[in-house]
Amino acid sequence: MTTDYKQRPDCNNLSHIPGAKGLPILGNTLDVIKDLEGFIQQLHRDHGKVSRIKLLNQHGLMVSGADNHQRIFLDREKNFSSQKGLEQSIGQFYSGCIQMTDFDEHKFLRRMMQTAFKSAAMKNYQAMVNPVVAQHLATWSQQPEVDIFPAVKSTLLAIGAKVFIGEEDPAEIERINTAFLNINIGLMGLIRKDLPGTKYRKGKRGQQYLQQYFLGQIAQRRQGDQQDMFSFMCREKDDDGNYFPNEMIIAQASFILFAAHDTTTSLLNHLLYYTALHPEWQQRLRSECESIGRGAGETLGYDDLPLMPVMDRVINEVLRMRPSVSLTPRRTINACEIDGHQVPADTMIFTSPIFNHYDPEFWSEPNTFDPDRFSEERAEHKRHSFSYLPFGGGAHKCIGMHFAVMLTKCFMQQLLTDNSYALSADFNNQFEWVPMPKPKGLKIHCHRTH
């Protein structure tokens, strides 16, 4: 298909579609930052499932509803570009990554990454994950209270260096993590030019460091047998027996560190919040871990992962209520109709799982924490294939979702079998949606049970 859409600017002529007014310059950005869930629900009450919004300098449409999301994510029309949708957000630092490609190019890159997520590789990753988790959790019960976000972030950065990159040198790991964190800072910069003193410049320096590091490692990794994700991608070959180009490998290696780290950090923060808030579920999870023969000091094996249906339900319910990815943008390639509205070509489309995850058409008492809604008997998530989409859908559905669940189960099993925990008394039940969904200032009291 033609690729001329990649050179065209965004369409800003959307005045024929009703929507939120917003502020000068900022538009609806503060509404999204302050309360994304409330903003989306208000848009639906005022304007229906399609409404005009503006986020910073981008005009676009907020589109909700399971049927609409099914059409956009499955994209049988090949009319919704992920590359153009993400160009002004993560595209500033992760150009060429798998989420920044469309159609055949996306399939090509997914082929390169498949081996890194097959069962044999996942077993090796789990063996790497468990000791890192054990090392970091060992100190939790020794603290008066644990500040969850930095504690989880530190754990996952250590896991990322080992599992995603396969780096062992502590000094190099520190430089890699600093570069990665600087990119995250750059993504939040309002000034998007490489000027002295800006967050953007800091991010660009981090991006350059990671690119140089990965480039210097590729030849060595192709000759070795390391079992980390980066090494798997380096050794992968296309259908003609050729290694994938260096620039493709570098783009994917950089992005996977970002994608897996932030989403799993969000999931674990919310999971700890809800299981501390609902101690009866904490105990059910603890009993399940013990029932599969994994008590204090023991870790999960790969074959244990399917034996945890209660853990699966709790993870699913947490992701329903607080999905780790709050907005997924696309951009139309050709003019089309969405929910009765004429949408021009090159229009930004913002989708969020929030409305669908709370839609009473599919979920009973959607504001209630109720993991058993995912049980085989109730199976509320099966009422519509796009009422529940914490990992996206269609061709761009998260390739690392099984890794995220595996890591989460390993972390929670070790925490639960050795500890009980409760919310800090001063936690005020506030949540953030941007830049990463998480409970704001979450702290817990952790007590060793053995």
Side-chain angles (χ1 to χ4, degrees):
M1 63 179 294
T2 180
T3 60
D4 64 341
Y5 68 92
K6 296 181 181 182
Q7 282 72 53
R8 301 197 302 251
D10 291 351
C11 171
N12 294 332
N13 185 19
L14 301 172
S15 58
H16 62 290
I17 298 176
K21 292 182 178 179
L23 299 171
I25 301 176
L26 292 175
N28 307 111
T29 305
L30 295 182
D31 296 315
V32 169
I33 293 173
K34 182 179 178 181
D35 181 13
L36 176 64
E37 179 187 352
F39 177 58
I40 291 175
Q41 295 291 353
Q42 187 64 50
L43 285 175
H44 182 257
R45 287 192 293 270
D46 292 346
H47 308 294
K49 294 179 180 178
V50 177
S51 53
R52 186 183 73 254
I53 66 170
K54 180 174 178 283
L55 300 181
L56 293 179
N57 64 328
Q58 282 195 302
H59 296 262
L61 302 176
M62 181 68 76
V63 177
S64 56
D67 289 340
N68 289 332
H69 285 187
Q70 182 174 37
R71 176 187 173 190
I72 291 167
F73 286 121
L74 294 184
D75 197 15
R76 295 188 175 97
E77 309 155 69
K78 292 190 174 182
N79 193 42
F80 300 98
S81 168
S82 179
Q83 178 176 341
K84 295 300 292 185
L86 292 165
E87 193 170 57
Q88 293 190 46
S89 53
I90 67 169
Q92 301 169 86
F93 295 95
Y94 295 106
S95 177
C97 74
I98 190 168
Q99 288 297 94
M100 285 285 300
T101 54
D102 295 324
F103 314 123
D104 289 343
E105 186 180 3
H106 178 80
K107 290 180 182 178
F108 184 73
L109 285 176
R110 207 168 179 97
R111 160 74 177 80
M112 183 185 79
M113 300 177 71
Q114 282 177 346
T115 301
F117 291 97
K118 290 183 177 178
S119 293
M122 289 283 287
K123 289 180 182 179
N124 287 319
Y125 302 154
Q126 186 171 11
M128 298 181 202
V129 163
N130 278 323
V132 178
V133 170
Q135 178 186 357
H136 282 253
L137 288 180
T139 64
W140 280 31
S141 61
Q142 301 168 14
Q143 304 173 46
E145 61 181 13
V146 182
D147 192 351
I148 291 301
F149 179 69
V152 168
K153 194 174 187 67
S154 173
T155 304
L156 295 189
L157 284 173
I159 289 172
K162 192 172 187 66
V163 176
F164 301 153
I165 302 175
E167 181 57 61
E168 300 288 347
D169 178 19
E172 188 61 79
I173 290 172
E174 181 65 25
R175 289 190 288 269
I176 290 170
N177 286 342
T178 298
F180 165 70
L181 294 173
N182 284 343
I183 293 174
N184 281 358
I185 291 171
L187 282 167
M188 296 305 297
L190 296 179
I191 300 173
R192 297 178 178 179
K193 292 185 178 181
D194 195 351
L195 299 174
T198 61
K199 293 180 179 179
Y200 188 89
R201 168 165 284 194
K202 197 168 190 176
K204 281 297 177 182
R205 297 302 173 268
Q207 178 188 24
Q208 290 164 9
Y209 186 85
L210 286 186
Q211 290 174 341
Q212 292 167 2
Y213 170 81
F214 288 128
L215 181 61
Q217 291 282 318
I218 290 175
Q220 172 190 334
R221 300 300 182 93
R222 281 176 174 158
Q223 302 305 313
D225 60 355
Q226 285 183 246
Q227 300 298 299
D228 55 273
M229 290 186 189
F230 173 50
S231 295
F232 276 122
M233 287 189 283
C234 288
R235 294 194 295 268
E236 193 62 52
K237 296 180 180 180
D238 63 21
D239 293 337
D240 296 322
N242 301 312
Y243 289 118
F244 286 86
N246 289 355
E247 60 271 19
M248 285 188 177
I249 296 171
I250 292 168
Q252 309 327 307
S254 299
F255 176 70
I256 205 166
L257 190 65
F258 163 76
H261 177 271
D262 278 12
T263 54
T264 312
T265 298
S266 173
L267 170 56
L268 282 170
N269 271 260
H270 289 117
L271 190 52
L272 289 167
Y273 164 74
Y274 280 107
T275 52
L277 184 65
H278 299 279
E280 71 278 13
W281 280 101
Q282 185 182 145
Q283 183 54 48
R284 283 184 67 175
L285 291 174
R286 186 175 293 108
S287 298
E288 181 176 72
C289 292
E290 293 170 353
S291 73
I292 59 176
R294 294 291 180 265
E298 297 181 305
T299 58
L300 293 177
Y302 189 74
D303 293 336
D304 294 326
L305 297 176
L307 307 177
M308 308 177 77
V310 178
M311 184 74 78
D312 283 325
R313 289 179 215 164
V314 174
I315 291 172
N316 287 337
E317 179 69 342
V318 168
L319 287 171
R320 182 189 70 84
M321 298 190 79
R322 299 287 166 180
S324 298
V325 177
S326 51
L327 284 175
T328 303
R330 297 286 190 267
R331 201 183 82 168
T332 59
I333 295 173
N334 303 303
C336 62
E337 181 183 296
I338 301 178
D339 218 60
H341 296 279
Q342 297 301 317
V343 179
D346 310 313
T347 296
M348 285 294 300
I349 302 292
F350 298 100
T351 69
S352 173
I354 297 299
F355 178 83
N356 298 6
H357 284 191
Y358 284 82
D359 191 341
E361 181 180 351
F362 308 115
W363 308 99
S364 59
E365 299 184 41
N367 292 308
T368 301
F369 181 74
D370 181 11
D372 282 335
R373 70 174 78 247
F374 288 91
S375 65
E376 291 184 6
E377 295 77 17
R378 291 171 60 184
E380 293 183 11
H381 58 298
K382 294 184 179 180
R383 293 174 179 173
H384 192 295
S385 56
F386 278 78
S387 64
Y388 179 65
L389 56 163
F391 296 103
H396 284 81
K397 191 171 186 177
C398 177
I399 194 171
M401 62 181 182
H402 297 299
F403 175 84
V405 173
M406 178 271 286
L407 191 162
T408 299
K409 287 183 175 181
C410 289
F411 184 99
M412 292 300 296
Q413 180 268 335
Q414 291 194 45
L415 178 65
L416 287 160
T417 53
D418 287 337
N419 305 276
S420 64
Y421 50 93
L423 291 174
S424 174
D426 61 356
F427 180 66
N428 58 13
N429 289 301
Q430 291 186 348
F431 295 86
E432 297 177 352
W433 288 105
V434 178
M436 179 197 302
K438 66 179 184 296
K440 188 175 182 179
L442 177 64
K443 296 180 181 179
I444 64 171
H445 297 287
C446 194
H447 304 282
R448 198 162 182 83
T449 55
H450 298 279

